């Protein structure tokens, strides 16, 4: 039995925290400075974490490797299972020519790519986050933007920026219920508090999307519709979390944001729409797209742009995504959910026996195999329905799935290394050491609380995982500092949303979806500044909520 030490280096918490940060520093330096391939960065950081766990934290080498193996298994199921199946569905729509019909359908909503980015990446992506999560919104919306004519880098960056604020409440409130489970605080109050933090950032996300797509010109020309979309989205999140349930927050926000945006833009006077800066000139395109599939290269092919598809063909173009939404919605019906959850197997990971620093059994020792309820399994059901609707033969569908996995091989390797790193740092106690050191800031910890959530999501790619990792620590720190535990626990979820855009898991999914495997470092550098800027705003908001100035916002 291994018990996690909090200050293994010379009995100093500060020195121990400095050492615990080395794997993360290695990851960011290799990715953002050295510009190494993502899988090299992930396994380089993993090597550092393994050495530290064994040499400094004194975790037996066998158990260290077992923890890494558990993380690698979790990467394959459910993560690779989820985004691989999502991209497979997209491949079928491209193969049958229906994706081009879908592209023109979205183009008819608005011929302005800046509006398309907000409708698809922000609103539709939020709906997918509400129902599926685990990289599905990034995988789906990235390829949709690519088919609309966005360059690969721009499509990926737009999808990554948009997949932030929905993460606090999706899928279906799971991050909040998980936070409640690990902290013992009421899920209702946690949802209400997060619903008074995240919407403030949600107002700004459409404005950031305008800057990403078209720079200052886009902001100058479309700030009113973008602000209307963000305000509608934010109000829906606030109202749903405070008066209904956090599980429905992203669904309501997605429809509210899209509805208001389309209403405002259709009322605006028609005028020529300029092409967003950077989507045409070759210097903004990625030099190499060798990873792009033949189907993706052929995506723009099809009937002329002014051709109007028949109602039947138009329906078939939307059918795969309607099917995805329908399958995930049905899976949340209480009776169906109980049936799916009954298939979940919870097993103790062989040979991994870990106690937390407090002496309690670590939840990391248990592996949950939700083979029915996993998003990838539900996406498989949607894929089988799509096969039938689009008349794709089983042999052809199998060939497309095999090609998808082959093209994602480097992305799969990256995610395996990343989750092995996460589980190694968690099991050895390196993450706990970092958290306890930060909690020593006393009352100033209110400003730093979102940073913990941000780090957790940047490392694991999941707000749910970050909440399970740091939720209890946030409450303990709040109690020691005399702060409101609901405020700091919710701040973990809220700050975590801003780590989504620099999460290597999401970066890898986005890069793989548009054939840019190996260019994750480029995406990271584009995302890092926005992530830190929005995180600073969240830290300021939470800090003020801990003072009499905004304490009235705490339920």
């Amino acid at each position: 039995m291994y018990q996690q030490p909090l200050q293994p280096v010379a009995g100093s918490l500060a020195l121990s925290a400095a050492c615990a940060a080395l794997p993360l520093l290695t990851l960011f330096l290799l990715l953002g400075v050295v510009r190494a391939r993502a899988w090299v960065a992930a396994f380089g950081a993993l090597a550092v974490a393994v050495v530290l766990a064994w040499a400094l934290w004194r975790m037996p080498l066998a158990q260290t490797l077992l923890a890494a193996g558990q993380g690698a298994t979790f990467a394959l199921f459910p993560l690779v299972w989820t985004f691989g199946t999502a991209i497979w569905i997209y491949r079928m729509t491209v193969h049958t020519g229906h994706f081009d019909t879908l592209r023109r359908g979205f183009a008819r909503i608005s011929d302005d790519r800046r509006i398309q980015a907000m409708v698809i990446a922000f609103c539709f992506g939020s709906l997918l986050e509400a129902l599926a999560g685990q990289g599905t919104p990034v995988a789906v919306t990235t390829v949709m933007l690519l088919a609309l004519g966005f360059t690969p880098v721009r499509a990926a960056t737009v999808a990554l920026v948009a997949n932030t604020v929905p993460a606090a409440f999706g899928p279906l409130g799971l991050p909040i219920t998980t936070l409640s489970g690990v902290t013992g605080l009421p899920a209702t109050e946690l949802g209400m508090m997060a619903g008074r933090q995240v919407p403030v950032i949600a107002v700004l996300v459409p404005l950031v999307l305008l800057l990403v797509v078209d720079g200052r010109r886009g902001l100058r020309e479309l700030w009113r519709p973008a602000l209307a979309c963000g305000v509608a989205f934010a109000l829906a999140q606030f109202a749903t979390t405070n008066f209904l349930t956090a599980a429905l927050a992203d669904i309501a926000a997605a429809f509210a944001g899209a509805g208001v945006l389309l209403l405002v833009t259709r009322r605006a006077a028609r005028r020529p729409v300029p092409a967003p800066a950077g989507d045409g000139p070759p210097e903004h395109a990625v030099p190499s797209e060798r990873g792009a599939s033949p189907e993706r290269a052929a995506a723009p092919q099809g009937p002329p742009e002014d051709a109007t598809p028949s109602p039947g063909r138009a329906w078939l173009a939307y059918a795969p995504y309607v099917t995805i939404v329908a399958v995930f919605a049905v899976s949340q019906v209480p009776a169906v959910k109980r049936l799916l959850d009954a298939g979940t197997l919870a097993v103790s990971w062989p040979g991994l026996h870990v106690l937390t620093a407090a002496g309690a059994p670590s939840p990391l020792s248990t592996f949950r195999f939700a083979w029915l309820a996993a998003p990838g399994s539900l996406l498989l059901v949607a894929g089988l329905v799509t096969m039938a609707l689009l008349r794709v033969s089983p042999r052809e569908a199998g060939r497309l799935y095999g090609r998808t996995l082959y093209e994602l091989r480097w992305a799969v390797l990256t995610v395996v290394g990343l989750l092995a790193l996460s589980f190694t740092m968690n099991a050895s106690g390196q993450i706990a050491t970092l958290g306890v050191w930060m909690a020593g800031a006393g009352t100033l910890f209110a400003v730093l609380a979102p940073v913990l959530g941000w780090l957790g999501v940047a490392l694991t790619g999941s707000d749910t995982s970050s909440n399970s990792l740091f939720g209890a620590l946030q409450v303990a720190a709040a109690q020691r500092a005399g702060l409101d535990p609901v405020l700091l626990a919710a701040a973990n979820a809220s700050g975590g949303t801003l780590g989504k855009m620099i999460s290597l898991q999401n970066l890898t999914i986005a890069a793989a979806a548009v054939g840019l495997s190996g260019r994750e470092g480029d995406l990271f550098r584009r995302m890092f500044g926005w992530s830190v800027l929005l995180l600073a705003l969240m830290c300021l908001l939470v800090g003020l909520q801990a003072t009499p100035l905004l304490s009235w916002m705490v339920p």
Side-chain angles (χ1 to χ4, degrees):
M1 184 67 69
Y2 168 75
Q3 184 168 358
Q4 300 170 343
L6 290 179
Q7 40 193 31
V9 182
S12 168
L13 182 60
L15 286 176
S16 300
C19 292
L22 289 177
L24 299 179
L25 184 62
T26 301
L27 179 68
F28 292 149
L29 286 177
L30 288 176
L31 192 63
V33 178
V34 180
R35 303 192 179 189
R37 293 177 67 90
W39 70 268
V40 173
F43 278 92
L46 172 62
V48 174
V50 168
V51 170
L52 290 175
W54 172 68
L56 298 183
W57 270 258
R58 303 297 181 184
M59 187 177 191
L61 184 59
Q63 293 214 47
T64 303
L65 297 178
L66 283 170
Q70 185 184 7
T73 304
F74 184 81
L76 296 174
F77 187 94
L79 296 181
V80 172
W81 177 230
T82 296
F83 73 78
T85 307
I87 296 174
W88 168 63
I89 294 174
Y90 155 73
R91 289 282 199 275
M92 287 194 289
T93 64
V94 172
H95 176 74
T96 57
H98 288 89
F99 198 87
D100 190 64
T101 303
L102 179 70
R103 176 179 64 87
R104 294 196 305 276
F106 271 106
R108 280 192 293 273
I109 293 176
S110 172
D111 55 357
D112 191 326
R113 289 182 188 169
R114 299 167 295 185
I115 300 297
Q116 293 167 357
M118 288 185 279
V119 171
I120 295 173
F122 187 52
C123 299
F124 183 61
S126 297
L127 183 61
L128 291 177
E129 182 68 36
L131 297 171
Q134 294 192 1
T136 304
V138 173
V140 173
T141 60
T142 300
V143 294
M144 294 179 76
L145 294 171
L146 183 69
L148 284 168
F150 286 74
T151 61
V153 168
R154 197 175 299 279
T157 53
V158 167
L160 289 167
V161 169
N163 186 227
T164 49
V165 289
F169 308 110
L172 292 165
L174 181 60
I176 298 300
T177 55
T178 300
L179 186 61
S180 174
V182 300
T183 61
L185 299 172
T188 302
E189 292 186 12
L190 291 171
M192 292 171 65
M193 188 66 252
R196 302 176 189 191
Q197 295 170 339
V198 174
V200 175
I201 304 298
V203 172
L204 303 177
V205 171
L207 300 173
V208 174
L209 288 176
L210 286 181
L211 289 170
V212 170
V213 176
D214 198 24
R216 287 179 292 179
R217 181 182 67 173
L219 187 63
R220 183 176 64 253
E221 295 179 355
L222 290 178
W223 69 268
R224 289 181 181 85
L227 186 61
C229 174
V231 169
F233 189 99
L235 288 176
Q237 274 193 331
F238 168 78
T240 308
T241 53
N242 280 269
F243 303 109
L244 293 174
T245 172
L248 300 177
D250 288 340
I251 297 176
F255 283 109
V260 169
L261 177 63
L262 296 179
L263 180 64
V264 171
T265 53
R266 287 188 177 182
R267 285 186 174 181
R270 293 188 175 274
R271 59 189 179 196
V273 179
D279 270 359
E283 64 267 23
H284 291 278
V286 177
S288 173
E289 294 181 35
R290 291 189 295 270
S293 69
E295 287 89 359
R296 185 181 293 114
Q301 304 298 322
E305 289 298 321
D306 57 353
T308 301
S310 65
R313 186 170 181 83
W315 152 247
L316 287 176
Y318 288 94
Y321 300 97
V322 173
T323 301
I324 289 173
V325 173
V327 167
F328 278 95
V330 170
S331 72
Q332 298 304 315
V333 174
V336 177
K337 184 175 176 61
R338 285 194 296 270
L339 180 63
L340 295 176
D341 289 341
T344 300
L345 301 177
V347 297
S348 297
W349 195 256
L352 187 61
H353 308 294
V354 179
L355 296 177
T356 66
S362 172
L364 291 172
S365 301
T366 302
F367 186 84
R368 296 186 180 276
F369 183 69
W371 64 282
L372 286 178
S377 301
L378 298 176
L379 282 170
L380 178 62
V381 173
L384 295 175
V385 174
T386 298
M387 282 174 51
L389 292 174
L390 303 187
R391 298 182 181 180
V392 179
S393 69
R395 179 178 179 179
E396 188 63 22
R399 184 188 69 82
L400 289 171
Y401 206 130
R403 177 178 291 180
T404 298
L405 292 180
Y406 176 76
E407 292 175 355
L408 293 176
R409 62 193 183 279
W410 298 116
V412 170
L413 189 61
T414 300
V415 174
V416 166
L418 177 66
L419 268 295
L421 166 66
S422 172
F423 274 62
T424 300
M425 293 185 68
N426 291 343
S428 64
Q430 294 172 49
I431 292 293
T433 296
L434 275 173
V436 171
W437 175 73
M438 292 180 67
T443 54
L444 289 178
F445 183 67
V447 178
L448 299 176
V451 178
L452 270 184
W454 179 78
L455 284 173
V457 175
L459 183 61
T460 66
S462 166
D463 208 31
T464 300
S465 299
S466 177
N467 288 345
S468 65
L469 185 62
F470 289 130
L473 176 63
Q474 296 273 17
V475 171
Q479 292 170 342
R480 286 197 295 268
L483 298 168
D484 193 302
V486 171
L487 171 63
L488 296 199
N492 195 84
S494 301
T497 63
L498 306 173
K500 290 284 280 186
M501 66 176 81
I502 62 165
S503 158
L504 190 52
Q505 174 186 309
N506 264 12
L507 292 172
T508 302
I509 292 171
V514 294
L516 297 179
S517 293
R519 303 296 299 274
E520 293 86 355
D522 293 338
L523 296 179
F524 175 82
R525 285 186 293 276
R526 285 172 173 260
M527 295 291 97
F528 188 76
W530 289 115
S531 181
V532 171
L533 176 61
L534 294 176
L535 175 65
L537 293 176
M538 180 62 73
C539 290
L540 177 62
L541 174 63
V542 174
L544 291 175
Q545 288 175 334
T547 69
L549 186 62
L550 292 183
S551 60
W552 52 269
M553 296 182 70
V554 181

